[in-house]
Amino acid sequence: TLLRCGAPIREINTVRRHLSRIKGGRLAVAAHPARVITYLISDVPGDDPALIASGPTIPDATTPLDALEILERYSIDIPEAVRSHLVSDDTAPKPHSPEFGLDRTIVQARACDALRAAEASANLAGVDVRVLGDDLEGEARELGGEHATMALTLQKDLKEPLLILSGGETSVTVSGEGRGGRNVEYLLGAISVLQGASNIHALAIDTDGIDGSEDNAGAIFGPNDWSRVQALKLDPATYLARNDAYSFFEALDGLIITGPTRTNVNDFRAILVLPKSM
């Protein structure tokens, strides 16, 4: 329900931590007095260890009442057992508890690592790069539209190829019954602005290989695809209204399907902007 409301991941994980017997540091408490060493691959904006997988071995600074406030703010119908638990629970390990004194946390990989690798590869190919950040959040379709507008603006005075990179984790407020995920919705938001603009290509994927709950990692789109959009009578606004970006890109044969990658450093988005004269 929180996902359908478009809640950001930090709010979703706050609720998760206080409705779990292992999250929010409880797994580490179960292991103590053994020393716990945690190796993490970050799939959350900002790389806060307490948010990654809801922090099974990391103490939690939030409270059960914080979780309750989030649920009430989105007007979610809360089962009475959940409400009672959140009102009365005081079992969450405290951040400065001596139990965690000898523990160690190591973040092995982050979204910024993926963006740096892409930047290095692009530079080797002679392409300039602009990195917008590895922790971008917000409504997916709106961010896609903003990035498309940026690409069009930059292209006006562009002399050399430019790659616009970004990472993070967007949200989708679900109002329709279509198939999709935040990366294909981001890309569909971008297409709604680009509408076949020349020499601009874009892709958006989830690095775990699964965009939301579908079988695709994301999708890809180029300027030559716009004529096919028109030929197939695919109206981006209609597909956005029913949150059906998956079907849109499926019709274009633009889905990127990798299968699960068994790792996850969150979303990866790239817009290649070429000078109009190329």
Side-chain angles (χ1 to χ4, degrees), residues 61-134:
T62 67
T63 69
L65 292 181
D66 291 331
L68 183 61
E69 184 276 328
I70 291 167
L71 293 169
E72 290 179 338
R73 177 153 36 87
Y74 287 101
S75 301
I76 293 174
D77 185 21
I78 309 171
E80 187 52 43
V82 172
R83 180 181 296 276
S84 176
H85 170 75
L86 292 177
V87 168
S88 61
D89 182 49
D90 62 355
T91 62
K94 303 301 184 286
H96 301 295
S97 170
E99 291 178 296
F100 295 91
L102 295 178
D103 290 359
R104 185 181 177 198
T105 300
I106 303 164
V107 181
Q108 299 277 64
R110 306 167 173 81
C112 65
D113 298 320
L115 297 181
R116 285 176 187 148
E119 181 177 15
S121 180
N123 289 158
L124 284 174
V127 177
D128 290 334
V129 176
R130 178 174 296 195
V131 179
L132 304 181
D134 61 16

Side-chain angles (χ1 to χ4, degrees), residues 9 39-53 106-114 134-135 168-169 206-208 263-267:
I9 190 62
Y39 294 93
L40 296 171
I41 294 176
S42 176
D43 64 344
V44 299
D47 307 320
D48 182 353
L51 298 181
I52 302 168
I106 303 164
V107 181
Q108 299 277 64
R110 306 167 173 81
C112 65
D113 298 320
D134 61 16
D135 58 353
E169 184 167 1
D206 195 324
T207 56
D208 68 359
T263 190
N264 187 2
V265 291
N266 229 321
D267 298 341

Side-chain angles (χ1 to χ4, degrees), residues 230-251:
Q230 295 173 309
L232 293 169
K233 297 181 179 180
L234 303 174
D235 178 28
T238 299
Y239 282 85
L240 280 173
R242 60 176 186 248
N243 299 111
D244 200 16
Y246 180 100
S247 298
F248 182 93
F249 287 105
E250 184 179 40

Side-chain angles (χ1 to χ4, degrees), residues 164-272:
I164 302 172
L165 296 174
S166 65
E169 184 167 1
T170 58
S171 302
V172 174
T173 300
V174 179
S175 57
E177 297 300 325
R179 301 175 67 187
R182 59 182 183 263
N183 287 286
V184 287
E185 182 137 337
Y186 164 92
L187 201 56
L188 188 51
I191 287 170
S192 301
V193 173
L194 293 173
Q195 296 192 358
S198 63
N199 289 354
I200 298 180
H201 307 253
L203 70 81
I205 59 170
D206 195 324
T207 56
D208 68 359
I210 301 297
D211 187 22
S213 59
E214 300 295 346
D215 60 356
N216 63 311
I220 191 168
F221 181 83
N224 294 335
D225 291 322
W226 186 249
S227 60
R228 297 179 59 224
V229 169
Q230 295 173 309
L232 293 169
K233 297 181 179 180
L234 303 174
D235 178 28
T238 299
Y239 282 85
L240 280 173
R242 60 176 186 248
N243 299 111
D244 200 16
Y246 180 100
S247 298
F248 182 93
F249 287 105
E250 184 179 40
L252 283 178
D253 196 28
L255 295 175
I256 298 174
I257 299 177
T258 62
T261 62
R262 311 300 179 190
T263 190
N264 187 2
V265 291
N266 229 321
D267 298 341
F268 177 91
R269 299 176 291 263
I271 300 177
L272 177 64

